[in-house]
Amino acid sequence: MAKYLLLKHYRGAPAAVNDVPMAQWAPEEISAHVQYMQDFAARLEKTGEFVDGQALAPEGTWVRYDGEGRPPVTDGPFAETKDLIAGWMVIDVDSYERAVELAGELSAAPGAGGKPIHEWLEVRPFLTAPPTITE
Amino acid sequence: MNEALLRSLTPSVLGILVRRGADFAAAEDAVQDALVEALRVWPADPPRDPKGWLVTVAWRRFLDQARSDTARRRREELVDEEPAPGPTPAVDDTLQLYFLCAHPSLTPSSAVALTLRAVGGLTTRQIAQAYLVPEATMAQRISRAKRTVSGVGVSPARATSRAGARFDQPGDVATVLRVLYLVFNEGYSGDVDLATEAIRLTRQLAAVIDHPEVAGLLALMLLHHARRATRTAPDGSLVPLAEQDRGRWDTESIAEGVEILQAALARDRLGEFQAQAAIAALHADAPTAEETDWVQIVEWYDELARLTDSPVVRLNRAVAVGEADGPRAGLAALAALDGSSPSPSRKGSAVPRHAAVAAYLHERDGDLTTAARLYAEAAQQAPNLAERDYLTRQAARLNTDRSR
């Protein structure tokens, strides 16, 4: 019973096995890919393991506080960052093993040629409030 | 309208329906209908026997449902022949529910959810809030769990011969206790206090089953719960045991826990919850941290290690050895545990909190450089925010001291 974040990266992850840029896929391959992700989320809703999931735009902006009374500093939009997040899903599962199993399944979403992409996903546990027993 | 009364009656009403042969999921629906009906009718017309009233209404609902289902005609005839509901002893029925909700075919999170729902009488929304998941997610988890145990099927004939008998096996009691301890350790958030709920349910269980480990778990929960208010500062940061304000510990709860534990230990059927409760009792008994009876605590950890042989227990034992015989002895006990290379992943291969314990013992031994490094390492592996912040502060404290 722990929550995990499954992170899908635009860039920065090791190359997928079936590494063809999405722009070069056939439209029906993209539909199949999207359908796979939706089915996956729907199935986790049924098993009671789904918490939340969203897709993120590839563009982002760095923001920093720049002192009292001054507007925040921004730098961007940038497209060259090595590591942008494409989307995420939060799951609530019984064990780390189950989280890895589900991430593996998500990584097998179909890509170019209808074959699994075998892309790399990041699995990160949520830090939580302390349990009753720690001492 | 007394909601606490309704909640306390729910499990036994549900248990009676299940015992009479109602399918678990159908029985649960019928009981929910009866509760809604009670909320509507009781304020104007309170029943003399609330439980009898609920059983009658729920059973009628169940029969209506069974009748409308033509595919179940045969079973309908069967249940129609049953005698009319009257006052029924609740004892075995509630026990049955605990057993069903902790059934081995359920995953831990499903077992916990179903227990809170069926035995605890909490609403799906309350359980979802406590676990910080969407209500739809929790609803699915619970209905899947209901379907799973419905398949298990406890017919009246088998209830006593098989399921009831199985519950007397220590393994089955252990499963139920594990589920209750999971609930307790979730702590609380929102308007449901899961620790209090776990204590309430364990009390109920202790009332219907005579088993030293049930008493052991109840004692353990009470002893831990007694210190709860002092475990965190107002800002949410962790207060270690030695620094807790003992004047604020709940002495009533401690006294009750100790009494329950002593009665259990007297029966000479030691189990891991009793041993853990004994350790908690020794901590709760000490007027100051310095007066803690560490020698006896080490002895209880030896018992516990014999019962469980868990690396976490041996880690805790190393802390106790460090207090009883000095930090060098503690470090020697720690060295015997293979936690020297905690991996950054969370596969659970390394012993959790190994680095934190090593850091503490090295600091007491005067090796501040190693201690600071290990505290920082421990902070990176911390499983929760409060612990991470606490360990980061420890590392920072040593680093600032040394740079002065």
Side-chain angles (χ1 to χ4, degrees):
Chain A
M1 292 182 299
K3 290 193 184 67
Y4 287 88
L5 176 65
L6 307 186
L7 266 188
K8 197 177 170 68
H9 294 256
Y10 278 112
R11 281 180 286 278
V17 173
N18 182 10
D19 193 17
V20 179
M22 235 172 159
Q24 293 169 26
W25 297 7
E28 57 274 16
E29 287 168 356
I30 294 174
S31 305
H33 178 77
V34 171
Q35 188 64 47
Y36 183 95
M37 315 278 270
Q38 284 171 353
D39 291 348
F40 182 80
R43 199 155 48 76
L44 291 195
E45 278 175 33
K46 288 214 181 69
T47 59
E49 292 174 308
F50 181 82
V51 178
D52 202 358
Q54 297 286 333
L56 292 174
E59 306 282 297
T61 307
W62 289 105
V63 178
R64 196 199 70 196
Y65 176 66
D66 199 35
E68 188 79 38
R70 302 169 64 142
V73 178
T74 61
D75 176 22
F78 47 87
E80 295 304 312
T81 307
K82 65 177 169 54
D83 188 9
L84 288 174
I85 295 158
W88 47 271
M89 184 182 288
V90 178
I91 53 174
D92 185 14
V93 292
D94 279 318
S95 64
Y96 172 78
E97 286 70 25
R98 176 67 176 156
V100 169
E101 180 189 329
L102 289 175
E105 216 173 292
L106 194 55
S107 161
K115 298 197 187 84
I117 317 179
H118 291 277
E119 66 182 332
W120 291 89
L121 295 175
E122 193 182 353
V123 177
R124 290 175 69 182
F126 275 63
L127 288 176
T128 57
T132 315
I133 312 309
T134 50
E135 293 126 347
Chain B
M1 173 55 51
N2 189 344
E3 275 191 44
L5 172 70
L6 272 186
R7 258 179 65 188
S8 70
L9 291 175
T10 305
S12 56
V13 173
L14 180 55
I16 288 167
L17 261 64
V18 170
R19 192 174 191 76
R20 285 184 182 171
D23 163 87
F24 186 88
E28 227 268 343
D29 290 343
V31 171
Q32 291 306 318
D33 281 350
L35 291 177
V36 170
E37 188 68 6
L39 286 168
R40 199 175 61 83
V41 173
W42 287 11
D45 183 15
R48 226 172 309 151
D49 174 8
K51 189 163 124 189
W53 190 97
L54 283 172
V55 170
T56 308
V57 172
W59 187 246
R60 206 180 292 139
R61 290 286 155 129
F62 168 70
L63 288 183
D64 286 349
Q65 193 55 48
R67 276 198 197 96
S68 70
D69 189 348
T70 49
R72 295 185 180 176
R73 185 158 292 152
R74 221 179 60 79
R75 188 166 85 200
E76 177 202 349
E77 288 161 8
L78 194 78
V79 291
D80 258 349
E81 289 163 12
E82 292 275 314
T88 318
V91 177
D92 292 331
D93 303 310
T94 312
L95 198 56
Q96 198 76 53
L97 276 192
Y98 277 92
F99 166 74
L100 268 178
C101 294
H103 196 274
S105 58
L106 294 171
T107 66
S109 54
S110 299
V112 162
L114 192 59
T115 301
L116 288 171
R117 170 80 169 163
V119 189
L122 296 184
T123 65
T124 304
R125 175 190 293 268
Q126 285 173 314
I127 303 169
Q129 276 172 356
Y131 282 90
L132 301 175
V133 300
E135 196 176 341
T137 293
M138 192 50 81
Q140 288 291 355
R141 205 181 277 181
I142 291 171
S143 60
R144 273 175 68 91
K146 279 199 275 185
R147 276 202 302 278
T148 304
V149 298
S150 280
V152 169
V154 186
S155 70
R158 280 186 299 161
T160 41
S161 65
R162 220 186 58 182
R166 270 194 64 194
F167 196 84
D168 290 334
Q169 302 298 313
D172 293 321
V173 175
T175 315
V176 172
L177 296 184
R178 187 176 49 83
V179 169
L180 291 172
Y181 201 40
L182 278 177
V183 175
F184 183 75
N185 278 322
E186 281 298 324
Y188 70 104
S189 59
D191 62 345
V192 183
D193 182 340
L194 288 177
T196 310
E197 185 62 20
I199 290 175
R200 190 178 73 83
L201 297 182
T202 310
R203 255 188 222 288
Q204 272 184 17
L205 181 64
V208 294
I209 185 175
D210 183 26
H211 191 288
E213 274 293 87
V214 178
L217 177 62
L218 180 55
L220 178 64
M221 287 178 177
L222 288 168
L223 287 163
H224 279 318
H225 200 60
R227 294 196 284 103
R228 173 162 149 191
T230 65
R231 288 186 66 247
T232 45
D235 65 359
S237 63
L238 221 58
V239 181
L241 180 56
E243 289 161 32
Q244 288 170 15
D245 177 1
R246 287 167 193 245
R248 286 173 58 220
W249 286 359
D250 179 353
T251 47
E252 215 171 286
S253 185
I254 291 173
E256 191 194 353
V258 168
E259 193 181 318
I260 292 170
L261 174 66
Q262 279 171 342
L265 289 175
R267 299 176 55 186
D268 208 23
R269 276 168 64 200
L270 189 64
E272 57 177 300
F273 285 123
Q274 292 169 79
Q276 280 192 63
I279 293 164
L282 285 166
H283 283 303
D285 252 6
T288 65
E290 293 72 34
E291 288 169 86
T292 307
D293 187 349
W294 287 105
V295 175
Q296 232 199 108
I297 288 179
V298 172
E299 288 169 10
W300 276 111
Y301 271 121
D302 289 339
E303 288 283 356
L304 197 52
R306 193 175 55 75
L307 289 164
T308 66
D309 195 36
S310 120
V312 174
V313 168
R314 282 183 280 146
L315 184 78
N316 287 332
R317 183 182 169 276
V319 178
V321 169
E323 299 294 341
D325 303 330
R328 289 286 166 90
L331 284 168
L334 196 61
L337 248 170
D338 185 30
S340 51
S341 56
S343 70
S345 77
R346 291 180 177 264
K347 287 180 190 129
S349 53
V351 184
R353 304 193 174 93
H354 188 279
V357 170
Y360 172 73
L361 290 169
H362 276 294
E363 184 187 353
R364 285 198 48 218
D365 194 37
D367 182 355
L368 302 189
T369 315
T370 309
R373 181 178 57 77
L374 286 168
Y375 274 130
E377 193 180 299
Q380 291 217 328
Q381 300 157 9
N384 62 63
L385 282 172
E387 253 179 80
R388 186 178 71 185
D389 293 349
Y390 174 78
L391 292 165
T392 308
R393 258 185 233 118
Q394 297 300 308
R397 174 176 58 81
L398 293 184
N399 284 328
T400 349
D401 282 355
R402 278 184 304 137
S403 62
R404 272 188 193 136

